[in-house]
Amino acid sequence: MKRLALTVALLAGFALPSWAGFEAGLEAYNRGDYAIALHEFKRLAERGNGVAQYNLGFMYANGRGIPRDDVEAVGWYRKAAEQGDAFAQNNLGAMYENGRGVPQDYAAAVKWYRKAAEQGYAGAQYNLGIMYDNGQGVPQDYAEAVKWYRKAAEQGDAYAQFNLGFMYDKGQGVPQDYVQAHMWYNLAASRHPPGKDRDLAARNRERAVAKMT
C-alpha cells in the first residue's frame, strides 16, 4: 500500500493577532469580502507585521480575491518566515517542494520545514518526515522519518499517524510491530484529515493558544 504523502502545508488558515485592523480583515475574509481583507492585511504586512505577511501570502497562494500569484505568495511567506513564523516557514517549504513561485528545491524545502518543525508545528513535522522517508533534500533515513512522524502523530495529525502505522507495519525505521501498527492505523482512521478548506476559526484559536503558552 502506498503511504499517504500529501503535503498539507499550503492548506493552513489564518492566525489571530490583536493588532488594530487585523480583526476587521479577518472578519471580512470570513464573510467572503476578500477585497477588504486584502487591503487590511497588505497595509499591516507592508509595515512589517509577520502574521499579516503570512496571511497575505496565503491569499496569493490560494487566489482568494486576487489571481493566484505564487511569486507574490513566496515573497510574503519569506518575509514572515524570516521573522520566525512557523506557519510561513512550513508553507514556504511547500512552495519549494512543489516548485511553486520558485524553482523546485528539496534542500530548501527541508530547511524551512525543519525550522517550523523545531517550533513544534505538527504539519511541518509530518512534511519533514515525508522528506526523510522519500530521501528528498536529505539522505533517505527511515529512523528520522519515524522520529518526525511520531512528533506529529502525538499531536493528533492523522496523516502522520497513518504513516507511523505503516512504518511499524513494514518495519522501516523501527522493529516490525503489528500491535503498534494497528494502534496508529486506528488512531488515523478515527480522525478526519483536514481537507482543502480548513476551518479558519479553528486555526485562529490554535495559533492564539500557542502564542499564550
Side-chain angles (χ1 to χ4, degrees):
M1 180 184 293
K2 186 179 187 295
R3 72 181 65 110
L4 295 174
L6 175 66
T7 297
V8 299
L10 297 177
L11 311 181
F14 291 152
L16 181 60
S18 58
W19 295 284
F22 196 95
E23 289 188 18
L26 186 60
E27 289 172 2
Y29 181 93
N30 286 334
R31 66 174 180 265
D33 194 340
Y34 297 132
I36 291 178
L38 185 68
H39 172 76
E40 294 294 343
F41 294 147
K42 191 168 187 178
R43 181 173 59 84
L44 289 169
E46 289 174 344
R47 295 177 182 176
N49 184 298
V51 182
Q53 290 167 348
Y54 163 76
N55 290 346
L56 189 56
F58 178 88
M59 293 191 74
Y60 276 110
N62 292 277
R64 301 292 170 86
I66 43 177
R68 196 180 95 172
D69 188 329
D70 290 341
V71 173
E72 278 290 317
V74 165
W76 290 110
Y77 281 152
R78 191 183 306 281
K79 288 178 184 293
E82 289 173 349
Q83 294 194 59
D85 187 292
F87 288 76
Q89 290 167 346
N90 187 50
N91 285 21
L92 183 57
M95 301 298 271
Y96 274 109
E97 182 184 352
N98 295 292
R100 288 185 53 183
V102 287
Q104 189 175 55
D105 186 335
Y106 291 138
V110 166
K111 168 189 168 181
W112 289 108
Y113 284 153
R114 190 183 306 280
K115 285 180 181 292
E118 289 175 347
Q119 293 194 63
Y121 180 35
Q125 291 168 344
Y126 166 77
N127 289 331
L128 186 55
I130 287 288
M131 303 303 276
Y132 275 109
D133 201 347
N134 295 331
Q136 294 175 314
V138 287
Q140 189 174 52
D141 187 330
Y142 289 141
E144 276 293 305
V146 166
K147 167 187 167 180
W148 291 107
Y149 286 154
R150 189 183 306 280
K151 287 179 181 291
E154 289 174 349
Q155 294 193 62
D157 187 292
Y159 295 119
Q161 289 169 344
F162 180 93
N163 283 17
L164 187 55
F166 184 96
M167 302 302 266
Y168 275 111
D169 194 356
K170 302 302 179 183
Q172 294 181 337
V174 287
Q176 193 171 48
D177 185 330
Y178 293 126
V179 173
Q180 285 288 318
H182 187 263
M183 180 190 78
W184 289 110
Y185 283 150
N186 274 346
L187 283 172
S190 70
R191 295 178 179 272
H192 299 284
K196 185 173 182 180
D197 292 316
R198 283 190 180 186
D199 181 353
L200 296 182
R203 175 59 66 192
N204 292 336
R205 288 194 297 273
E206 175 186 330
R207 182 61 171 278
V209 169
K211 288 294 186 183
M212 291 187 292
T213 58

